[in-house]
């Protein structure tokens, strides 16, 4: 299971610069899908064979002029609570700042492994600036220069050492894992309670699946489902608590543990940026997704309402074009149980295997009906295709020059392979690889 490492520090110390440095360095392999969203707050990193998700908490405060107050402060504190290790950044040029001391105190209370980094040490002659920070009572400080890439390797070695302990237990069994996500007040807890209180269902809690999540097992139509991290959602909270508690890392963790995510949108309010941010995580993680327009009872009555809504969803959340869109009212219960029919359909496609001969016929036809542009004067050829994974279906296409396939052509192949294979409701991945001799 994946670990989460948060970069924390007051504004302008260099968090985003460090984030970019680590997620873009050559030794750390990054699984990033550009173009999905403007917001870049996390990236997957591999270092010495260990994987973790790196979170830039600086991204949380991008639109806030008052740093370390209110919601932003809540965000940073929950980030600290929910990560497995923290990189705390100081500014070596500006020296120790009262806000550094406050953040340090919070970190000590949290009891998480912390690495203390003094940034902007671009030259060995600046290293004397580091000593001032020992006043915080820290044993070890790492001088780094995020912008020049100095000292980063030591930090990465130390982080991965912390992460090599405390592995989480493996997810059990093959039961479909489902999560309900959405911004505060869209109706997540109403929906889950509605599902679980229905007397058709057998419910049992399964605590301890991971360190802090409590899942719930339920059965619908004889089919078992594991609802991810339901405890925190079922409890009723005040609006203020909800704002404080909405946690990007929590959402990421739930997505990572799910096969299929129900993304709830408030139909009365329409789509807002936070919906798109969550949607983009689901897309980047290649999870199955169903977009649920909740509070449909409040939607204004108008002709073609559903199709207009679906158009709006497709327009604003382009990268989840495969996600079925449903309407529900958690309040009246209308449409709630039909969610499971769609979940089953998506699940079937998410786990589908396409026989190799059929797959190859499809790829040949797709390449023939519209050839890729020549690469340095050479024809780009597709030799062979194979499915290498399910959840989601992942196809490798062996070609002579993978570097010669433009993104637009990848998209073309993807858009053709979906209808051809019947995989219209699941994410699908296609990887172009050089044919081995
Ligand atoms: P954040 O608000 O903590 O995310 O900080 P940023 O990453 O946006 O950096 C704030 C400013 O510090 C920018 O102007 C960066 O170019 C600069 N900066 C970041 N790292 C370094 C560094 O290692 N050396 C120097 N000299 N400047 C840096
Ligand atoms: P959460 O923060 O996403 O868990 O949202 P809640 O389930 O706590 O719902 C927030 C508010 O919206 C509550 O007052 C609910 O009663 C209300 N609500 C939830 N679903 C619906 C719905 O389908 N229709 C209407 N009219 N209200 C709803």
């Amino acid at each position: 299971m994946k670990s989460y490492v948060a970069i924390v520090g007051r504004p302008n110390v260099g968090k985003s610069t460090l984030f970019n440095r680590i997620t873009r360095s050559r030794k750390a392999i990054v699984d990033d899908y550009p173009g999905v969203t403007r917001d870049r707050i996390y990236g997957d990193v591999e270092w010495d064979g260990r994987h973790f998700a790196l979170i830039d908490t600086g991204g949380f405060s991008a639109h806030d002029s008052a740093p370390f107050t209110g919601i932003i402060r809540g965000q940073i504190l929950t980030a600290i609570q929910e990560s497995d290790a923290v990189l705390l950044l100081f500014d070596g040029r500006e020296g120790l700042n009262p806000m550094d001391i406050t953040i340090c105190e919070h970190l000590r209370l949290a009891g998480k492994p912390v690495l203390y980094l003094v940034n902007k040490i671009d030259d060995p002659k600046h290293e004397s600036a580091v000593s001032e920070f020992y006043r915080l009572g820290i044993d070890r400080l790492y001088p780094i220069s995020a912008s020049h890439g100095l000292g980063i390797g030591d930090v990465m070695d130390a982080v991965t050492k912390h992460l090599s302990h405390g592995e989480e237990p493996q997810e059990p069994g093959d039961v479909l894992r489902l999560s309900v996500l959405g911004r505060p007040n869209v109706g997540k807890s109403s929906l889950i309670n509605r599902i679980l209180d229905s007397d058709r269902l057998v419910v049992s809690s399964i605590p301890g699946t991971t360190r802090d999540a409590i899942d719930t097992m339920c059965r619908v139509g004889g089919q078992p489902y594991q609802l991810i991290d339901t405890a925190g959602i079922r409890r009723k909270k005040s609006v203020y608590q909800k704002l404080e508690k909405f946690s990007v890392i929590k959402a990421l963790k739930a997505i990572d543990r799910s096969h299929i995510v129900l993304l709830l949108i408030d139909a009365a309010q329409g789509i807002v940026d936070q919906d798109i941010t969550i949607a983009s995580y689901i897309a980047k993680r290649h999870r199955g997704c169903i977009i649920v327009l909740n509070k449909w009872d409040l939607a204004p009555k108008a002709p073609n309402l559903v199709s207009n809504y679906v158009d709006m969803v497709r327009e604003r959340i382009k990268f989840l074009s495969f996600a079925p869109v449903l309407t529900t009212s958690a309040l009246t219960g209308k449409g709630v149980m039909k969610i499971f029919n769609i979940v089953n359909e998506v699940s079937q496609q998410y786990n589908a295997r396409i026989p190799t001969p059929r797959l190859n016929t499809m790829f040949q036809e797709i390449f023939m009906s519209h050839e890729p542009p020549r690469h340095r004067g050479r024809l780009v050829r597709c030799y062979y295709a194979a499915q290498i994974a399910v959840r989601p279906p992942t196809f490798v296409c062996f070609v002579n020059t993978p570097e010669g396939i433009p993104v637009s052509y990848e998209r073309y192949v993807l858009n053709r392979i979906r209808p051809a294979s019947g995989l219209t409701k699941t994410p699908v991945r296609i990887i172009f690889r050089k044919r081995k001799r």
Side-chain angles (χ1 to χ4, degrees):
M1 192 156 285
K2 185 171 273 149
S3 303
Y4 296 78
V5 176
I7 305 177
V8 169
R10 62 187 181 80
N12 282 316
V13 291
K15 293 184 293 299
S16 300
T17 310
L18 178 64
F19 174 86
N20 289 333
R21 170 64 63 180
I22 293 175
T23 54
R24 288 184 193 151
S25 78
R26 252 183 298 146
K27 200 174 162 195
I29 299 163
V30 184
D31 188 15
D32 188 26
Y33 300 88
V36 172
T37 173
R38 295 149 290 163
D39 153 296
R40 281 190 40 89
I41 66 146
Y42 83 94
D44 286 345
V45 178
E46 183 191 337
W47 185 266
D48 276 352
R50 293 202 55 87
H51 296 260
F52 60 89
L54 186 68
I55 319 277
D56 173 13
T57 62
F60 298 165
S61 56
H63 309 294
D64 198 293
S65 51
F68 217 65
T69 57
I71 295 169
I72 300 315
R73 182 168 166 278
Q75 283 290 358
I76 293 175
L77 295 186
T78 40
I80 291 170
Q81 259 169 31
E82 280 158 23
S83 48
D84 302 287
V86 173
L87 306 180
L88 173 56
L89 222 55
F90 302 120
D91 187 328
R93 296 225 163 158
E94 295 205 350
L96 193 56
N97 175 296
M99 208 194 287
D100 295 333
I101 299 171
T102 313
I103 298 176
C104 258
E105 281 164 1
H106 282 297
L107 280 170
R108 285 202 179 112
L109 290 175
K112 288 285 156 73
V114 183
L115 297 183
Y116 300 89
L117 321 181
V118 182
N119 190 31
K120 310 196 186 178
I121 308 298
D122 303 341
D123 189 290
K125 67 175 183 277
H126 299 149
E127 278 193 25
S128 58
V130 174
S131 57
E132 180 187 2
F133 292 91
Y134 281 108
R135 277 170 41 203
L136 291 165
I138 295 161
D139 296 334
R140 167 107 208 240
L141 288 161
Y142 293 83
I144 65 164
S145 168
S147 57
H148 292 55
L150 303 174
I152 311 290
D154 288 349
V155 171
M156 295 292 280
D157 288 343
V159 176
T160 46
K161 212 183 286 163
H162 280 298
L163 297 180
S164 57
H165 308 291
E167 286 280 294
E168 299 226 6
Q170 283 294 308
E171 292 285 353
D174 244 1
V175 176
L176 184 68
R177 294 196 295 272
L178 200 59
S179 59
V180 176
L181 289 182
R183 62 201 179 84
N185 279 317
V186 291
K188 297 181 294 299
S189 91
S190 305
L191 181 73
I192 284 185
N193 288 324
R194 169 74 58 183
I195 292 170
L196 296 180
D197 294 341
S198 150
D199 52 9
R200 278 184 281 171
L201 308 171
V202 183
V203 173
S204 60
S205 288
I206 37 173
T209 342
T210 67
R211 258 200 296 279
D212 47 19
I214 297 183
D215 301 342
T216 304
M217 288 294 293
C218 73
R219 249 171 215 285
V220 182
Q223 190 73 29
Y225 302 90
Q226 181 173 344
L227 295 174
I228 298 293
D229 198 14
T230 35
I233 299 176
R234 286 195 88 182
R235 240 174 278 128
K236 282 276 170 211
K237 296 188 186 103
S238 72
V239 172
Y240 175 74
Q241 275 176 313
K242 282 178 183 174
L243 291 177
E244 275 276 292
K245 282 284 173 203
F246 177 76
S247 155
V248 172
I249 299 181
K250 224 178 183 124
L252 280 171
K253 281 186 178 175
I255 292 168
D256 280 342
R257 297 189 53 227
S258 308
H259 298 124
I260 297 176
V261 179
L262 304 181
L263 172 61
L264 259 62
I265 286 171
D266 186 331
Q269 300 199 349
I271 297 170
V272 301
D273 285 351
Q274 206 173 30
D275 299 326
I276 297 171
T277 304
I278 301 171
S280 76
Y281 300 150
I282 300 168
K284 284 186 195 175
R285 296 304 215 220
H286 309 291
R287 293 310 192 252
C289 180
I290 297 166
I291 296 173
V292 179
L293 302 172
N294 190 41
K295 306 197 187 181
W296 196 248
D297 55 295
L298 297 180
K301 303 285 167 279
N304 305 323
L305 187 61
V306 176
S307 64
N308 287 345
Y309 245 102
V310 171
D311 288 349
M312 179 173 76
V313 169
R314 295 293 179 231
E315 172 58 32
R316 300 222 43 207
I317 314 181
K318 285 201 178 79
F319 45 86
L320 289 181
S321 61
F322 53 82
V325 180
L326 297 182
T327 59
T328 60
S329 169
L331 192 69
T332 67
K334 197 157 186 252
V336 170
M337 297 320 282
K338 82 180 171 214
I339 291 175
F340 287 92
N341 298 335
I342 309 294
V343 166
N344 294 342
E345 218 179 312
V346 171
S347 165
Q348 212 167 30
Q349 295 192 10
Y350 196 61
N351 287 284
R353 285 186 191 278
I354 306 295
T356 309
R358 200 177 137 212
L359 194 64
N360 277 280
T361 309
M362 287 188 304
F363 268 93
Q364 292 306 337
E365 278 173 7
I366 290 168
F367 266 71
M368 259 174 359
S369 73
H370 173 53
E371 284 183 356
R374 282 170 179 262
H375 179 61
R376 301 207 176 112
R378 284 176 68 195
L379 281 177
V380 177
R381 289 176 197 284
C382 163
Y383 296 116
Y384 183 75
Q387 180 167 359
I388 54 161
V390 291
R391 290 179 169 178
T394 303
F395 308 118
V396 169
C397 175
F398 291 98
V399 297
N400 51 345
T401 53
E403 68 279 11
I405 299 205
V407 175
S408 58
Y409 197 77
E410 283 180 22
R411 226 166 266 149
Y412 156 75
V413 175
L414 196 61
N415 288 337
R416 289 290 302 269
I417 210 84
R418 276 181 201 291
S421 60
L423 301 176
T424 50
K425 295 180 178 166
T426 173
V428 168
R429 301 184 71 186
I430 299 175
I431 300 163
F432 292 92
R433 249 184 226 151
K434 197 170 178 66
R435 184 178 67 168
K436 293 198 187 85
R437 288 186 180 271

